[in-house]
Amino acid sequence: MKYFLLFTIFSFLLCSCAKKREQIYPEKLPMTESVYASATVQPDSMYQAYSVAMGILDKIWVEEGDKVAKGDQILQITNTSPELNQKNARLALELAKKNYSGTAAVLSSIEDEIQAAKLQLKNDSINYNRQKKLWNQNIGSKVEFDNKKLAYELSQNQLELLKKKFDQAKNQLETQLRQAENNYKTSLTTTNDFTIKSKIKGTVYALYKNPGEIVNTVEPVATIGKSDMFVVELLVDEVDIVKLHIGQKVFITLDSYGETVFEGTLDKIYPRKDERSQTFKVEALFNDPPETLYPGLSGEGNIVIAEKKETLVIPKTYLINGSKVLTDEGETSVTIGLENMVLVEILDGINENTAIYKPEP
């Protein structure tokens, strides 16, 4: 009687436990598989502006939030050295032009020497030819003939030397003129570099310096981006990056908009991995963006990598070790397909009429 009572109680407990187990049947539902990513909203074409020269911030032409056009002045940096260099370069250019054009005494003096050498050559040529005719008639001395011939040859050489001297001086002055022009253009560029201008039409989102502060070449002075176009930067785990390609559908939720889901399209995949976070950055564009967006809004994104209109699915929590489910016949092996955060597709092993039970925690 005692053993019978214990057996009855044990059987009752087993039945009670079995009744408490959650039982469901697989269903045919639409199924999507997606890759999760953290999301941050940023203006399109956003960049940080830097100064290419050191100086003191003299004037800020805009305020944070102002709209700017391409080429608009953003900041003015003061430094007297570029202005002095520009003046010196302009003076050097003017002098080089005068020397090259001949208005200065550099080339004109050589030209005068050439004219004198031509006259001397003409005179020595006349004397030489006259003496040569006399010598051919056996008139005059051999020494006198040789002297006239030598004077004529020396005059020829002197003229050739002066012509070469003129060409060399002209080439040198031409080179100096070009160098002076380049230096002057460089000085103008350096002066312009002290005025930082916007490279795009957009909005000034941040200014990092105040008037009177020192500006260098390694710290940004402003952040500028487009006003009417935003991108969603998504950080994807390295194990999922190979599943992505341009044009895939993206569902985006933003903390500022609660449960509202925005649809977007994958637009860009950056090939370089961030070694610190072990993630890849990709960008998506809103198909229909929210009315109001600000840089830095955060949220989540799900990039759809596969879709089926109808397939057999079960809750992911009913899987055992990723490949089995609990049925009336015990643990049964199944073949899975697509999966997401909630559901998993069943390709083989059970059907719609198979009752499955949630495994005990």
Side-chain angles (χ1 to χ4, degrees):
M1 187 68 180
K2 179 179 178 182
Y3 290 110
F4 177 76
L5 181 60
L6 289 174
F7 177 76
T8 303
I9 295 173
F10 182 70
S11 300
F12 175 77
L13 290 174
L14 285 177
C15 292
S16 298
C17 291
K19 289 178 181 179
K20 289 180 180 179
R21 286 191 303 178
E22 297 182 23
Q23 181 192 62
I24 64 168
Y25 290 88
E27 297 181 84
K28 285 193 173 182
L29 298 172
M31 178 70 180
T32 61
E33 183 175 0
S34 61
V35 169
Y36 171 82
S38 59
T40 306
V41 175
Q42 296 291 5
D44 187 28
S45 302
M46 186 174 68
Y47 74 97
Q48 290 184 321
Y50 289 81
S51 173
V52 298
M54 293 186 62
I56 297 175
L57 182 56
D58 180 56
K59 188 171 183 179
I60 301 177
W61 302 95
V62 296
E63 295 181 356
E64 292 181 345
D66 283 355
K67 302 289 192 297
V68 291
K70 183 178 180 180
D72 282 355
Q73 294 179 327
I74 304 298
L75 302 168
Q76 180 68 43
I77 300 168
T78 300
N79 192 321
T80 57
S81 297
E83 295 181 8
L84 295 176
N85 291 338
Q86 181 184 342
K87 291 179 180 178
N88 291 334
R90 188 177 70 250
L91 293 174
L93 177 60
E94 291 173 357
L95 178 60
K97 285 181 178 180
K98 289 180 181 179
N99 290 337
Y100 181 70
S101 63
T103 56
V106 179
L107 290 179
S108 60
S109 62
I110 301 177
E111 288 178 332
D112 292 342
E113 291 181 39
I114 290 175
Q115 292 301 321
K118 286 181 178 179
L119 293 173
Q120 183 66 44
L121 176 62
K122 184 178 181 181
N123 183 61
D124 290 339
S125 176
I126 293 171
N127 291 334
Y128 167 66
N129 287 322
R130 184 184 298 132
Q131 191 66 37
K132 184 178 180 181
K133 289 180 181 180
L134 292 173
W135 178 250
N136 290 336
Q137 299 175 13
N138 293 320
I139 301 173
S141 65
K142 181 72 167 58
V143 173
E144 191 174 3
F145 171 73
D146 290 341
N147 287 337
K148 297 297 183 182
K149 183 180 179 182
L150 179 61
Y152 172 66
E153 291 174 349
L154 289 174
S155 296
Q156 282 184 316
N157 292 336
Q158 180 63 20
L159 181 59
E160 292 300 321
L161 289 174
L162 287 173
K163 286 181 178 179
K164 289 181 179 179
K165 180 180 178 182
F166 180 84
D167 290 338
Q168 289 175 351
K170 187 176 181 180
N171 290 335
Q172 184 177 1
L173 291 174
E174 184 178 4
T175 301
Q176 291 175 353
L177 175 61
R178 290 178 179 175
Q179 290 175 341
E181 289 175 342
N182 292 336
N183 290 337
Y184 183 62
K185 290 178 181 178
T186 301
S187 69
L188 290 176
T189 303
T190 305
T191 303
N192 291 334
D193 287 339
F194 282 78
T195 302
I196 299 176
K197 300 178 181 180
S198 176
K199 297 184 181 297
I200 62 172
K201 178 183 178 182
T203 299
V204 179
Y205 287 102
L207 295 169
Y208 302 113
K209 296 288 184 179
N210 295 314
E213 292 185 341
I214 295 176
V215 175
N216 55 43
T217 59
V218 297
E219 295 178 327
V221 293
T223 296
I224 304 169
K226 287 188 177 180
S227 309
D228 54 352
M229 188 172 182
F230 287 78
V231 299
V232 184
E233 293 183 354
L234 303 163
L235 297 181
V236 179
D237 192 276
E238 63 175 321
V239 299
D240 296 320
I241 191 65
V242 296
K243 305 174 185 177
L244 306 186
H245 58 79
I246 303 301
Q248 287 175 323
K249 190 184 299 183
V250 184
F251 294 103
I252 304 157
T253 58
L254 299 175
D255 297 340
S256 301
Y257 284 89
E259 299 298 323
T260 305
V261 179
F262 301 97
E263 189 172 327
T265 303
L266 193 63
D267 182 66
K268 189 173 183 179
I269 299 174
Y270 290 87
R272 186 166 178 264
K273 183 177 75 171
D274 188 326
E275 295 297 337
R276 291 178 299 175
S277 62
Q278 298 296 301
T279 59
F280 285 83
K281 185 171 78 170
V282 302
E283 287 183 0
L285 299 178
F286 287 105
N287 294 348
D288 185 15
E291 183 177 351
T292 304
L293 288 173
Y294 291 96
L297 292 181
S298 60
E300 297 178 343
N302 284 282
I303 306 167
V304 178
I305 60 174
E307 286 185 284
K308 288 187 177 180
K309 292 183 178 180
E310 187 177 77
T311 188
L312 192 67
V313 299
I314 64 171
K316 209 169 186 179
T317 54
Y318 279 70
L319 275 181
I320 302 174
N321 297 327
S323 61
K324 295 181 179 181
V325 292
L326 188 61
T327 67
D328 290 328
E329 298 178 359
E331 291 188 2
T332 302
S333 296
V334 293
T335 303
I336 65 172
L338 303 183
E339 58 180 302
N340 56 32
M341 299 293 292
V342 179
L343 301 175
V344 60
E345 178 188 20
I346 302 299
L347 300 176
D348 190 28
I350 57 175
N351 56 43
E352 291 179 90
N353 299 319
T354 305
I356 61 173
Y357 302 92
K358 192 171 185 179
E360 305 232 349

